[in-house]
Amino acid sequence: MHLGRTTLSQFLIQQLKGSDQQAALADLLVDIAAAVKAISSMTAKGALAGVLGSLESQNVQGETQKKLDLLSDKAFINTFHLGGLVAGMASEENEHPIVFDDLEAPGAFLAVFDPLDGSSNIDVNVSVGSIFSILKAPEGRLPGLADFLRPGKEQIAAGYAVYGPSTMLVLTVGQGTHGFTLDREMGNFILTHPNIQIPAQTSEFAINTSNERFWELPVLRYIEECKAGKTGPRGRDFNMRWIASMVADVHRILMRGGVFMYPRDTKDPSKPGRLRLMYEANPMSLVVEQAGGKASTGHGRILEVQPDQIHQRVPVILGSSEEVDRIAGYHEAG
Ligand code: AHG
Ligand code: MN
Ligand code: MN
């Protein structure tokens, strides 16, 4: 029995003992932690390091890229390339997947990630994060686009880093969701939140209400009932929070419960939601489910959605299981 503090590496050696592939996955997650440390140090320096502000460029989704979006993307790409454990990767900031075809042998994994989530919060010193999803790579050959387009239930690991007052890494390898806090003096992530459990009930919701006029009826009904509080059908008061960094909003829900929604709306009929399936919704859904919560599109489990594009969007309703069930029920009722 290990007494004292458990580092991320010690924890992963314990959770991933067995096959060579599992040991390699532990190595990959330690590599990801190294990229997270580099990004944490950049975000912490902020204006002092000249990393704030926007670039001239736009990503494939037409969003103006921030300096930190691209610096974080580079930190992950370099880490994955040098580590040699990843055969290919896809990210929010790159239109097409990047395949590492110069390795001695292709790596065993594929990485899909949002290098910097919550970009609108960078310049105002509000929490941002990184989100990652790990899939199995095909054996004995380089990956193609189809190898990335796997439903979220096939993820073998997923997690996020939140760069807040402290930097935390929260991850799952399919055996619960666990949180680690960066000890900056030691340079190590320490297990501080083992086996996170999201309470099944909550009185807190997170949604961007400026989109209310575009919402569908089930979402309108749910939020109206929450806002009616004690005087409405729910018979109790609700509270609302919206940080506008999915990572920070989901982290709060993992810590104390709540429901987070970026539902389908009619704002832009060509987009079935705001958030991206492969590098926002899927990894967060696995983390949430492994913590006893639920994640739904309103019409089914997010992790069952078959992707057909790297950057496709999806409606997201996740968090405390009883509230997610209730909202899905309102969708079923029409
Ligand atoms: P990103 O910065 O990676 O593009 O993601 C931003 C996302 C997500 O973090 C957040 O929940 C949502 O956009 C915020 O949307 P609003 O601007 O509508 O609040
Ligand atoms: Mn994002
Ligand atoms: Mn992003």
Side-chain angles (χ1 to χ4, degrees), residues 63 92 114 116-119 208 242 244-246 260 262 274-276 280:
E63 297 164 343
E92 180 186 354
D114 177 354
L116 210 286
D117 173 69
S119 305
N208 182 344
W242 184 253
S245 292
M246 183 195 200
F260 170 91
Y262 222 121
R274 160 91 167 82
L275 298 172
R276 281 59 57 102
E280 291 177 321

